[in-house]
Amino acid sequence: CNRPGGPIEITEADAEDILYDFKKEFEERWTEGWNDDSAGDLQFVGLFDDSGVAGTGGRLLEEITLDNGSLILISVALLCTFSALFLFDCDLVESRIMVTTIGVALVILAYFSAVGFGLICGIKVNITIGWTLPFIILGLGVDDMYIVLLALKKQGGYTEDDFVEAMKEVLGPVTMTSTVNAAMFAILNISDVPAIYLTARVALIAIIFLYLTIVFCFPAYCWLDMKRQASGGYDILCCLTSSSDRQQERDGRNSDNMGGKN
């Protein structure tokens, strides 16, 4: 080796990082001035070399795949806004904005957990996963969340029996929709196109995570919200409580629900 100081030892990962940075810098120097009319008539638009590590084409696909952050943020903001408005009540005790926001956050967490689990299993994020799957999965998860909250709202009471009855009512529909969605994505695995079957696998994982979240995790927050309502605490501002007259009205309705079941 003619290198001053002799040869050095580096890992394969270090070599890939060095080659990646070299290609990126080489491309920037090679294409410098391509959009400058005064730079000459000959223009170089890219160095398409993906040997060893990603070149121009590979980096372009990576940037496109991961460039959906702003759209996801807009989607999440719209989901939270419309969900909160849908379950808002002028009676701040009956309003469910806080638990709705928590539900949306759990759905988002379940999706990104599924993507992370897919990465652990060796499923790389592609354009289809990055640009279509977040919006589909978030919509399905929020839909199941609505089913739970509307069942609790329909139940009316704040007792443990009311909570159990509402959960029994939603378990069937949530299980059925999750099973159908999981089966649909499982069938897509027969495709030979990697973009399709890899996306289907991540979607299948996401459906399972969503089901576990909606059935086992979200109800715990719903129960805490019911206890908040039973104590007369306002939505979001839980430290504030309603007037004694309204609280007596709720206690009477709660007693009527218990009497009707007995």
Side-chain angles (χ1 to χ4, degrees), residues 170-181:
V170 302
L171 183 60
V174 171
T175 301
M176 182 186 68
T177 56
S178 298
T179 302
V180 171
N181 292 330

Side-chain angles (χ1 to χ4, degrees), residues 83-187:
S83 299
L85 292 175
F86 185 67
L87 290 166
F88 171 75
D89 197 300
C90 293
D91 184 350
L92 295 181
V93 177
E94 295 295 328
S95 182
R96 289 179 169 87
I97 294 179
M98 182 172 63
V99 71
T100 303
T101 305
I102 292 174
V104 174
L106 289 175
V107 169
I108 296 171
L109 180 62
Y111 167 71
F112 283 105
S113 298
V115 174
F117 186 80
L119 290 172
I120 293 174
C121 296
I123 304 175
K124 295 182 178 180
V125 178
N126 55 44
I127 292 180
T128 310
I129 294 175
W131 281 90
T132 62
L133 207 55
F135 311 102
I136 295 174
I137 297 300
L138 292 181
L140 294 175
V142 171
D143 181 64
D144 288 340
M145 181 196 70
Y146 285 155
I147 295 175
V148 175
L149 290 178
L150 291 179
L152 289 171
K153 185 176 182 179
K154 178 182 177 182
Q155 199 66 30
Y158 310 114
T159 65
E160 182 178 345
D161 291 337
D162 295 321
F163 176 76
V164 172
E165 287 298 323
M167 292 301 104
K168 288 181 179 179
E169 180 180 339
V170 302
L171 183 60
V174 171
T175 301
M176 182 186 68
T177 56
S178 298
T179 302
V180 171
N181 292 330
M184 176 187 66
F185 288 118
I187 292 173

Side-chain angles (χ1 to χ4, degrees), residues 8 47 77 85 108 170 179 215 224 235 261:
I8 60 175
L47 176 64
L85 292 175
I108 296 171
V170 302
T179 302
V215 173
L224 292 176
D235 189 19
K261 292 175 182 178

Side-chain angles (χ1 to χ4, degrees), residues 36-102:
D36 186 1
D37 294 337
S38 62
D41 296 331
L42 185 61
Q43 298 179 351
F44 302 100
V45 296
L47 176 64
F48 295 93
D49 172 24
D50 290 330
S51 300
V53 293
T56 304
R59 285 198 306 276
L60 179 62
L61 288 175
E62 182 180 354
E63 291 174 1
I64 293 175
T65 301
L66 301 178
D67 194 30
N68 63 339
S70 57
L71 288 179
I72 292 180
L73 289 178
I74 293 173
S75 175
V76 170
L78 291 175
L79 279 175
C80 291
T81 301
F82 283 103
S83 299
L85 292 175
F86 185 67
L87 290 166
F88 171 75
D89 197 300
C90 293
D91 184 350
L92 295 181
V93 177
E94 295 295 328
S95 182
R96 289 179 169 87
I97 294 179
M98 182 172 63
V99 71
T100 303
T101 305
I102 292 174

Side-chain angles (χ1 to χ4, degrees), residues 204-221:
L204 179 58
I205 297 171
I207 293 297
I208 295 173
F209 280 26
L210 283 177
Y211 179 78
L212 296 176
T213 300
I214 296 298
V215 173
F216 295 104
C217 185
F218 183 58
Y221 292 96

Side-chain angles (χ1 to χ4, degrees), residues 234-249:
Y234 286 150
D235 189 19
I236 301 178
L237 303 174
C238 304
C239 56
L240 301 179
T241 57
S242 61
S243 62
S244 58
D245 293 338
R246 285 182 174 270
Q247 184 61 30
Q248 290 177 0
E249 179 182 348

Side-chain angles (χ1 to χ4, degrees), residues 16 19 30 40 48 53 108 118 151 188 193 212 228 250 259:
E16 290 179 353
L19 182 58
W30 182 264
F48 295 93
V53 293
I108 296 171
L188 290 177
V193 181
L212 296 176
R228 186 267 306 171
R250 290 188 184 86

